[in-house]
Amino acid sequence: MDARRRALRALLAPEPAAGEPAYRRERELALAADPRKRGNYERSLASARRSAAIDYLPIKLDIENVSRCNYRCTMCVVPSWHKGRRAEDLPLDAFKRLIDEQFGLIEIKLQGIGEPLLQRGEFFEMIRYARARHIWVRTTTNASLLHLNENYRQLIDADVNEVQISIDGASAEVFEAIRAGSVFERVLANCRRINGYCRSLGIERTKMWTVVQKRNLHQLEALVNLAADLQFTNQVFSLGLGDWGLQDMQERNAAAGAEEELDPEALARLVEFGEQRGVRVRFWNVAAKYKAGDTATLCPWPFERAYVASDLRVVPCCYIGNPDVFQIDGALGGERSFAGVWRGSAFRDFRQRHLDGAIPEICKGCYEHS
């Protein structure tokens, strides 16, 4: 690994918007809420990715409530779907059954490939249902709908723990070119609404999230300034573009991405600049690769969490995020439970390939020398 890549890996990683102490406190409340949960959590930690056959339920899940979006972002797979929709929304009852069955959960990300606020009231009810069990809930939004029906208030009042808001340009020209279908000034106004509401309550819940690419690479400092102006206290720069396991997306985003142009020293200076503006600047480094041959460097996803799509099919991780590309076994429902899939032969074989170094084809892009 070259020095530049090592320097990129050394950049500060994201923290919970409300801080690590808040996350740990909520985790303890979750573990105390169900006597089965702590034992499950301890078995998960003790497993250390040593076996494909596991005796615990996942401690984290990504749950996709909708697979549709009102934007057509240039780096996203959604524009390739008919009318920007892959499948029907996740029913509220199905979400509740999943949460009830997965008693080991301490954290969920409630969003997938799509804009979660399109589901309106059921989305907020999902958050409330999980939070009543002290499950830490993160979500991501493009902020385009926060002004409707005071969604910004409804989202915060549902007691969500973290809201990642996607802002990929510091000017209307750059932002609207990347996030096709957007209105820059409306998004900024909605960010001010939700951040102002959080500030009035004395809480921190939001995080500005920027996917770095060639089109916005020249605006990184301006984006930190924008974050401060919008009253964000947290900002994350995501340093690579995903491909959802699709060759055409890999080629397109490889051309659009800026990974080879990133300057670790310049990025590190953004942290200092953010501190001057009252913004914690951090980096999500998807360029960091896993490595076969050592359980400590294997991808953790197959051993601790999974992704449940809106049509109740199980996907190994959010980097794929689309069961039409790859799924583990069949859709949930009837006799097929998530626990059955999690502990079943298909998932066990998938884990074993990671352990054996015979990395599944769909996962090779995330591993070194594969």
Side-chain angles (χ1 to χ4, degrees), residues 62-103:
D62 278 33
I63 303 174
E64 180 184 63
N65 68 310
V66 303
S67 54
R68 56 190 174 109
C69 193
N70 56 335
Y71 281 6
R72 301 292 183 269
C73 300
T74 56
M75 65 287 192
C76 187
V77 69
V78 167
S80 68
W81 296 343
H82 180 62
K83 296 185 178 180
R85 177 196 291 264
R86 185 191 61 78
E88 295 300 312
D89 297 351
L90 177 67
L92 177 59
D93 288 347
F95 174 85
K96 290 180 176 181
R97 286 195 300 272
L98 182 61
I99 293 295
D100 291 344
E101 180 189 357
Q102 301 315 306
F103 61 80

Side-chain angles (χ1 to χ4, degrees), residues 290-292 298-299 354 359 363-370:
Y290 300 114
K291 190 174 181 180
L298 293 178
C299 173
H354 286 261
I359 306 301
C363 301
K364 284 184 177 180
C366 289
Y367 275 82
E368 291 182 356
H369 312 301
S370 55

Side-chain angles (χ1 to χ4, degrees), residues 28 31 35-48 50 55-57 59 104 106:
E28 283 304 309
L31 293 175
R36 301 170 296 175
K37 193 176 296 254
R38 189 175 297 277
N40 184 82
Y41 179 71
E42 291 172 352
R43 289 194 301 275
S44 173
L45 295 184
S47 71
R50 287 191 296 263
D55 62 351
Y56 54 87
L57 292 170
I59 59 175
I106 61 170

Side-chain angles (χ1 to χ4, degrees), residues 68-364:
R68 56 190 174 109
C69 193
N70 56 335
Y71 281 6
R72 301 292 183 269
C73 300
T74 56
M75 65 287 192
C76 187
V77 69
V78 167
S80 68
W81 296 343
H82 180 62
K83 296 185 178 180
R85 177 196 291 264
R86 185 191 61 78
E88 295 300 312
D89 297 351
L90 177 67
L92 177 59
D93 288 347
F95 174 85
K96 290 180 176 181
R97 286 195 300 272
L98 182 61
I99 293 295
D100 291 344
E101 180 189 357
Q102 301 315 306
F103 61 80
L105 289 175
I106 61 170
E107 177 184 338
I108 64 170
K109 182 186 178 190
L110 186 55
Q111 186 263 343
I113 305 176
E115 171 49 48
L117 283 164
L118 287 170
Q119 199 177 22
R120 295 183 289 188
E122 288 198 346
F123 172 57
F124 303 130
E125 182 56 32
M126 289 175 180
I127 296 172
R128 286 191 289 268
Y129 195 81
R131 291 295 300 126
R133 288 144 185 82
H134 294 288
I135 296 170
W136 185 274
V137 179
R138 292 186 296 126
T139 193
T140 296
T141 178
N142 61 32
S144 64
L145 306 174
L146 287 174
H147 62 293
L148 297 177
N149 302 310
E150 295 197 317
N151 281 335
Y152 69 96
R153 285 178 179 266
Q154 293 196 68
L155 182 54
I156 298 304
D157 290 348
D159 199 26
V160 68
N161 297 98
E162 182 168 306
V163 182
Q164 296 172 189
I165 298 180
S166 301
I167 306 289
D168 293 328
S171 64
E173 179 184 12
V174 172
F175 183 92
E176 293 174 5
I178 293 173
R179 296 197 159 262
S182 66
V183 178
F184 182 61
E185 291 300 332
R186 179 181 297 159
V187 169
L188 299 193
N190 283 341
C191 290
R192 292 188 179 98
R193 285 185 174 97
I194 193 169
N195 287 335
Y197 187 54
C198 287
R199 181 163 292 196
S200 74
L201 298 174
I203 60 176
E204 290 186 86
R205 293 292 183 272
T206 64
K207 182 180 288 182
M208 182 165 139
W209 192 281
T210 299
V211 180
V212 178
Q213 46 203 285
K214 285 185 174 71
R215 274 180 162 162
N216 61 21
L217 185 60
H218 66 291
Q219 289 193 328
L220 301 190
E221 186 172 299
L223 281 157
V224 177
N225 269 326
L226 180 62
D229 292 344
L230 296 176
Q231 297 188 328
F232 283 101
T233 55
N234 295 273
Q235 181 176 18
V236 175
F237 289 106
S238 181
L239 302 182
L241 301 177
D243 57 32
W244 295 277
L246 296 168
Q247 183 64 31
D248 62 334
M249 288 297 303
Q250 192 279 327
E251 293 171 359
R252 185 196 311 172
N253 283 348
E259 291 180 39
E260 298 306 315
E261 302 170 40
L262 296 174
D263 179 353
E265 293 184 2
L267 294 176
R269 288 196 293 271
L270 289 176
V271 177
E272 298 177 9
F273 181 64
E275 289 175 354
Q276 296 169 14
R277 296 299 323 267
V279 179
R280 290 186 290 273
V281 175
R282 299 294 184 264
F283 303 90
W284 180 251
N285 192 358
V286 294
K289 301 291 187 180
Y290 300 114
K291 190 174 181 180
D294 185 341
T295 55
T297 58
L298 293 178
C299 173
W301 272 83
F303 301 91
E304 72 171 29
R305 67 193 300 173
Y307 179 110
V308 179
S310 68
D311 52 2
L312 292 172
R313 289 189 284 169
V314 179
V315 181
C317 70
C318 69
Y319 296 106
I320 301 169
N322 184 347
D324 292 345
V325 175
F326 188 89
Q327 64 175 312
I328 301 286
D329 222 335
L332 306 180
E335 298 299 316
R336 191 185 299 278
S337 68
F338 179 86
V341 173
W342 177 252
R343 292 174 172 149
S345 59
F347 222 142
R348 186 168 60 248
D349 292 346
F350 185 79
R351 293 188 193 99
Q352 191 63 54
R353 293 194 62 182
H354 286 261
L355 291 167
D356 292 343
I359 306 301
E361 188 67 30
I362 194 69
C363 301
K364 284 184 177 180

